């Protein structure tokens, strides 16, 4: 799954390499806050990042990822397992996602949306936030494990 992650990051590099370092740092902070269950901070960081994402290719997918993570953080802070309304990526935004499965292979669509959102935040942070490089690298196993849950559905032996 390491190769799948590396390939995904490299595929996203030309698209998200234009994200300002300051914005990418906020995105990294949102990723870490969610991972460590710091949901109020996740909501703040996602809201801040949403206002800073520049227009351009992939921007709508990145904004959607931030919106999804923020919605889950709000729900979890309120002791809900998932938001009342889960926002989904559009077909056009699927080009920017790590895990694209045919509908008949998706066991839990809501979890897939959240996982893809977190994977996109991670990739953007890796690409554009050099200050967070070491911390992101230390949490790479978490991301690889997340990807690994889709190994069979992706047809990877």
């Amino acid at each position: 799954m390491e190769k799948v992650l590396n390939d995904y990051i490299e595929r996203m590099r030309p698209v998200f390499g234009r994200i300002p370092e300051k914005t990418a740092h906020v995105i990294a902070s949102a990723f870490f806050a969610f991972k460590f269950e710091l949901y109020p901070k996740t909501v703040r960081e996602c809201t801040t990042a949403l206002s800073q994402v520049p227009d351009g290719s992939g921007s709508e997918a990145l904004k959607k990822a931030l919106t999804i993570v923020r919605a889950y953080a709000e729900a979890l802070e309120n002791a809900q397992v998932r938001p009342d309304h889960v926002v989904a990526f559009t077909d056009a935004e699927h080009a920017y996602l790590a895990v694209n499965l045919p509908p008949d292979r998706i066991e839990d669509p809501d979890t897939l949306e959240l996982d893809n959102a977190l994977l996109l935040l991670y990739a953007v942070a890796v690409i554009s936030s050099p200050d967070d490089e070491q911390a992101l690298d230390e949490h790479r196993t978490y991301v690889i494990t997340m990807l690994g849950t889709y190994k069979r559905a992706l047809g990877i032996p």
Side-chain angles (χ1 to χ4, degrees), residues 9-146:
I9 291 170
E10 289 313 308
R11 186 166 52 93
M12 294 299 105
R13 191 173 299 281
V15 178
F16 295 108
R18 64 181 168 66
I19 300 294
E21 283 184 28
K22 180 181 173 188
T23 303
H25 175 69
V26 175
I27 290 168
S29 182
F31 171 83
F32 287 126
F34 189 88
K35 181 186 183 290
F36 291 116
E37 301 177 4
L38 304 170
Y39 301 124
K41 181 175 179 156
T42 304
V43 171
R44 283 192 310 274
E45 299 293 19
C46 286
T47 301
T48 300
L50 277 164
S51 70
Q52 295 177 357
V53 173
D55 292 336
S57 176
S59 292
E60 291 309 310
L62 179 54
K63 287 178 182 180
K64 182 76 62 75
L66 289 161
T67 301
I68 290 168
V69 171
R70 181 176 66 185
Y72 269 89
E74 288 170 343
L76 290 163
E77 181 63 19
N78 292 315
Q80 292 177 267
V81 175
R82 48 185 93 224
D84 292 331
H85 175 68
V86 177
V87 179
F89 288 100
T90 65
D91 288 342
E93 293 164 344
H94 277 248
Y96 306 101
L97 305 181
V99 180
N100 284 297
L101 299 172
D104 63 326
R105 296 191 121 177
I106 300 172
E107 292 179 25
D108 182 355
D110 294 344
T111 299
L112 177 60
E113 296 296 323
L114 175 61
D115 289 349
N116 267 323
L118 289 167
L119 289 162
L120 181 54
L121 297 189
Y122 181 85
V124 170
V126 166
I127 292 164
S128 296
S129 183
D131 290 346
D132 295 297
E133 184 177 1
Q134 183 179 350
L136 289 161
D137 194 48
E138 289 171 6
H139 294 278
R140 195 172 179 89
T141 303
Y142 169 77
V143 177
I144 290 170
T145 301
M146 186 186 310

